[in-house]
């Protein structure tokens, strides 16, 4: 559901078509930065969620995030963006952020998976108190994207320091 006009509007839109649950973006999904959530947005979202009964609400991460990015600057931006999204989800009490694991950019699957694990470990260290889980989403396997095999997701979960912070989302 679109968050145009504020995150709580997504719940209104979902309720208007009979949704029991919705998936939202926590900010514009094609921009790195966004202004922070203000208290009234958070309170409004939680009140709308109670009023509509829509639960759970899932978030989807920005499409810009690549935890296997080979460019150090892009990788730093990706890690910072995911930390920001976890903080937004925590503020709204959104339990899961669905995300594509990443793209190895030609370095190979093994190298890409190692970098995703290292990146997630950094993200989880910075968001240690958060209850938000990252739901790694399966992908179609185009280009150098990882996650087109369940073994990729299994390898990530097996190697991260906080596997309880991860879940799997199967995109059908």
């Amino acid at each position: 559901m679109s968050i145009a006009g504020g995150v709580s509007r997504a719940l209104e839109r979902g309720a208007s078509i009979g949704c029991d649950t919705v998936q939202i973006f926590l900010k514009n999904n094609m921009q790195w930065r966004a202004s922070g959530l203000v208290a009234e947005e958070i309170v409004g979202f939680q009140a709308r969620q109670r009023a509509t009964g829509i639960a759970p609400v899932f978030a989807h991460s920005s499409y810009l995030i690549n935890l296997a990015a080979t460019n150090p600057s892009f990788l730093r931006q990706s890690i910072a963006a995911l930390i920001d999204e976890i903080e937004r989800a925590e503020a709204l009490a959104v339990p899961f952020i669905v995300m594509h694991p990443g793209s190895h950019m030609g370095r190979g699957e093994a190298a890409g998976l190692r970098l995703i694990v290292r990146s997630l470990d950094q993200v989880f260290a910075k968001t240690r108190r958060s209850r938000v889980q990252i739901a790694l989403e399966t992908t179609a396997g185009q280009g150098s994207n990882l996650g087109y095999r369940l073994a990729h997701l299994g390898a990530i979960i097996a190697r991260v320091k906080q596997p309880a912070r991860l879940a799997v989302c199967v995109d059908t």
Side-chain angles (χ1 to χ4, degrees), residues 29-67:
N29 66 317
M30 295 305 289
Q31 293 182 1
W32 286 111
R33 300 200 191 285
S35 53
L37 291 171
V38 295
E40 67 185 32
E41 280 181 285
I42 296 167
V43 169
F45 180 86
Q46 292 168 343
R48 273 291 146 62
Q49 189 174 15
R50 282 190 303 276
T52 62
I54 293 177
V57 174
F58 288 79
H60 196 292
S61 71
S62 167
Y63 292 128
L64 299 174
I65 295 172
N66 180 6
L67 296 183

Side-chain angles (χ1 to χ4, degrees), residues 66-72 74-75 78 102-105 107 115 119:
N66 180 6
L67 296 183
T70 55
N71 176 305
F74 193 81
L75 182 60
S78 293
S103 176
H104 62 74
M105 310 298 291
R107 284 206 178 154
L115 192 48
S119 297

Side-chain angles (χ1 to χ4, degrees), residues 41-166:
E41 280 181 285
I42 296 167
V43 169
F45 180 86
Q46 292 168 343
R48 273 291 146 62
Q49 189 174 15
R50 282 190 303 276
T52 62
I54 293 177
V57 174
F58 288 79
H60 196 292
S61 71
S62 167
Y63 292 128
L64 299 174
I65 295 172
N66 180 6
L67 296 183
T70 55
N71 176 305
S73 176
F74 193 81
L75 182 60
R76 277 191 302 277
Q77 280 185 293
S78 293
I79 290 169
L82 185 55
I83 290 168
D84 177 63
E85 293 205 16
I86 289 172
E87 290 169 350
R88 288 170 181 276
E90 185 72 31
L92 295 171
V94 170
F96 293 97
I97 299 174
V98 175
M99 76 172 294
H100 303 150
S103 176
H104 62 74
M105 310 298 291
R107 284 206 178 154
E109 291 183 1
L113 292 170
R114 278 192 303 274
L115 192 48
I116 291 167
V117 168
R118 193 165 54 231
S119 297
L120 284 169
D121 284 342
Q122 288 179 44
V123 167
F124 292 158
K126 297 272 188 191
T127 60
R128 185 169 277 113
R129 290 192 165 95
S130 177
R131 294 163 292 173
V132 175
Q133 287 183 284
I134 300 298
L136 300 171
E137 186 175 21
T138 56
T139 65
Q142 64 277 26
S144 60
N145 286 341
L146 296 164
Y148 68 91
R149 294 178 50 221
L150 289 175
H152 294 160
L153 307 183
I156 295 167
I157 292 167
R159 295 176 189 161
V160 294
K161 292 177 183 171
Q162 295 182 48
R165 298 275 311 267
L166 294 175

Side-chain angles (χ1 to χ4, degrees), residues 1-6 8-19 22:
M1 288 290 138
S2 170
I3 62 167
S8 65
R9 296 293 313 271
L11 297 170
E12 288 175 17
R13 290 179 182 103
S16 76
I17 61 170
C19 292
V22 296

